[in-house]
Structures are given as C-alpha cells and as structure tokens.
Amino acid sequence: DAGITQSPRHKVTETGTPVTLRCHQTENHRYMYWYRQDPGHGLRLIHYSYGVKDTDKGEVSDGYSVSRSKTEDFLLTLESATSSQTSVYFCAISEATGELFFGEGSRLTVL
Amino acid sequence: KQEVTQIPAALSVPEGENLVLNCSFTDSAIYNLQWFRQDPGKGLTSLLLIQSSQREQTSGRLNASLDKSSGRSTLYIAASQPGDSATYLCAVRGAGNQFYFGTGTSLTVIP
C-alpha cells in the first residue's frame, strides 16, 4: 500500500465551474503524477511533479493546472470545466525503485 | 516517442488454462517495465516490476519476462481462475521518470 488518497472520489459539476482534485501521499515520494483514463485512449499524462513547486506538463495539459506546495499533496485544477474533461482521474507516485503506484481514482462528470 | 502496444485487446479463456499476455514497446531504452491489473471502476494495482537488467520476475501464479532488445514482455498466468478476470496493462519507464502505457488486455476467465 503506497498510501495514496484521492479526493473527491466522485464529483458532478457544471460546465464553466472550477474543480480541484486532491492527491495526498503518506510516504514523501518525490515524483507524483496526474493521469486521465478514457475509453479508447488509455492512460494519458496531464501533469507531473518532481518536487515541491517543481511541476511540468504532460501530453494533455491544456485546460489543467497543478500545484505542489507540500511534498505530500499534489492538486489538479480545472479552471473552467468542459464536457471533454469528463473522465476518471488517477494520481500516481513513483518510488525510488521506479515502481509506480496509483490511487483509487476520481470520477468527474461535467454536465 | 515511446509506443506501447498490447495484443490482443480482449481474451476469453476457460478456467484452469495457462495464458500469455503480450506487451511490446518501440524504444528499448527503458529503465523498467511494470505490469498492472485493473478491475472495473478501480485503480491500477501493481503486479510485477522488472528492472531493465532483469529477464523475469515471478509472483505466485504470475511470471513476467522482459526482452529489452526485441522490445517485448510477456505476462504468463498459470492455472487461470475466474478471479483473474480484469484488464491487464503494461507500462515502461523511460528517461525523466516518464511512464508509457499500453491500452491493456481485457481478460475474462470462464468458470
């Protein structure tokens, strides 16, 4: 158990509203990731972090921002949610061995 | 860019059968390869991690092999059970602690 908690686990929101998803880890791992998973597209990287205040974009970063002010928390923000951002969002951490562990996911529906 | 392919996309076998899932990748410059299991509506669970210097890893009825030079990995499941029914994904870790995922093989084990 890599001690990853995502919140909220489920959220329904309306187009144009801001949404923040939180990922919390208990193990102080350096690397944290946000992915989205959609049918037919598999897992796609949104943003990742390699330390406090150190973040970088993934392949589908448009419309998303992230922040990491503490080692244990990595926040994903949708500034103005759109229907195309309806998805399941997964947080992951990478341990020193290079092994990747995932949270349980956050299911977001944008109406 | 690294491309990871999993064939077949779906597989159905009778209980008790031994089976092999395939994963191929285009760039052999990887640090490790990881196999995951995903149950419907759940997160990804790490099954096996093979470092680039290793040829195989075993855990219970699961055995994963890695042939880096040919860009291939296989996940062997012995004596399959209905509880093995899930989607199996492979991922390779490249430079910059980036991970590249296949789209998975959906396995159904028929009692």
Side-chain angles (χ1 to χ4, degrees), chain B residues 51-89:
Chain B
Q51 300 292 352
S52 62
S53 59
Q54 298 175 317
R55 298 284 291 183
E56 65 179 270
Q57 282 286 341
T58 298
S59 176
R61 293 183 295 109
L62 305 180
N63 176 277
S65 68
L66 174 63
D67 185 340
K68 212 172 71 160
S69 61
S70 67
R72 294 182 182 182
S73 176
T74 61
L75 179 66
Y76 174 83
I77 302 177
S80 58
Q81 304 171 357
D84 295 330
S85 297
T87 296
Y88 291 81
L89 296 98

Side-chain angles (χ1 to χ4, degrees), chain B residues 19-65:
Chain B
L19 60 102
V20 174
L21 306 180
N22 297 295
C23 172
S24 61
F25 47 95
T26 55
D27 186 349
S28 62
I30 64 169
Y31 289 89
N32 63 40
L33 185 143
Q34 195 170 352
W35 282 93
F36 296 89
R37 168 188 173 132
Q38 186 175 29
D39 294 291
K42 301 291 187 181
L44 282 72
T45 300
S46 179
L47 295 174
L48 288 165
L49 172 72
I50 311 177
Q51 300 292 352
S52 62
S53 59
Q54 298 175 317
R55 298 284 291 183
E56 65 179 270
Q57 282 286 341
T58 298
S59 176
R61 293 183 295 109
L62 305 180
N63 176 277
S65 68

Side-chain angles (χ1 to χ4, degrees), chain A residues 45-48 55-62 64 66, chain B residues 98:
Chain A
L45 180 65
I46 306 171
H47 282 278
Y48 68 100
T55 65
D56 206 348
K57 297 179 180 180
E59 62 178 303
V60 290
S61 59
D62 287 348
Y64 301 94
V66 290
Chain B
Q98 296 300 298

Side-chain angles (χ1 to χ4, degrees), chain A residues 45-85:
Chain A
L45 180 65
I46 306 171
H47 282 278
Y48 68 100
S49 170
Y50 46 96
V52 173
K53 296 189 176 161
D54 291 323
T55 65
D56 206 348
K57 297 179 180 180
E59 62 178 303
V60 290
S61 59
D62 287 348
Y64 301 94
S65 62
V66 290
S67 66
R68 191 168 179 199
S69 57
K70 299 185 291 184
T71 300
E72 59 265 36
D73 289 327
F74 192 31
L75 304 180
L76 177 70
T77 297
L78 291 65
E79 302 289 349
S80 178
T82 67
S83 58
S84 64
Q85 294 176 311

Side-chain angles (χ1 to χ4, degrees), chain B residues 1-6 23-27 71 92 100-102:
Chain B
K1 183 194 167 190
Q2 177 76 268
E3 300 284 343
V4 181
T5 304
Q6 292 185 249
C23 172
S24 61
F25 47 95
T26 55
D27 186 349
V92 297
Y100 302 90
F101 290 84

